Amino acid sequence: MGSDSDLPTMQPAVAMLERFGVGTEVRVLSAHRTPLEMVAFAQQARGLGFRVIIAGAGGAAHLPGMVASLTTLPVIGVPVQTRALSGVDSLHSIVQMPAGIPVATVAIGNGTNAGLLAVQILATADASLVEALAAYRAELHGQVCAKDARLLELGSAAYLKAMDRQA
């Protein structure tokens, strides 16, 4: 991430990777404040055994694109929400990469999907991750079906009241 203030956005990616047993390394590497360290990391990542990089940044959000320009590893960009433009600035910066240097980009603030996308990329060469992803999706399916059944049972007004009590 470009700053430690980005950690709340990036922690769900870490949690998702850990859930699937994927090793992580969490770093603060700023494209603007520590450019030499960022370059060294990006250039050495493949040799160090990295297979996917998730890079989150806000504002100018140059980190994902700069990292992608320095490695052939897949890079997933996470736009971090900002005060000035609510993260739209970050999203536009990350998603508008020039042809030839792609960055996969998730929604503003969505570290969870960044982690899942990284797992899906890794699953192309790991059958155990394929099985774990299928189990995760089945779990999500079950959660939504249970919510639907409860909504049908209670009706919308009572369901909303029950949700308010849980919050």
Side-chain angles (χ1 to χ4, degrees), residues 25-85:
E25 181 174 301
V26 182
R27 304 280 307 271
V28 175
L29 296 168
S30 171
H32 304 112
R33 293 180 293 262
T34 59
L36 298 179
E37 291 83 351
M38 179 212 56
V39 167
F41 170 80
Q43 290 178 335
Q44 296 169 10
R46 183 179 293 279
L48 294 172
F50 289 86
R51 292 183 285 163
V52 178
I53 296 172
I54 301 173
H62 292 145
L63 182 65
M66 289 302 299
V67 168
S69 76
L70 295 162
T71 184
T72 56
L73 292 172
V75 175
I76 302 166
V78 181
V80 174
Q81 188 168 12
T82 58
R83 286 187 210 106
L85 297 171

Side-chain angles (χ1 to χ4, degrees), residues 111-125:
T112 298
N113 271 1
L116 281 168
L117 182 55
V119 172
Q120 287 179 292
I121 291 168
L122 296 170
T124 63

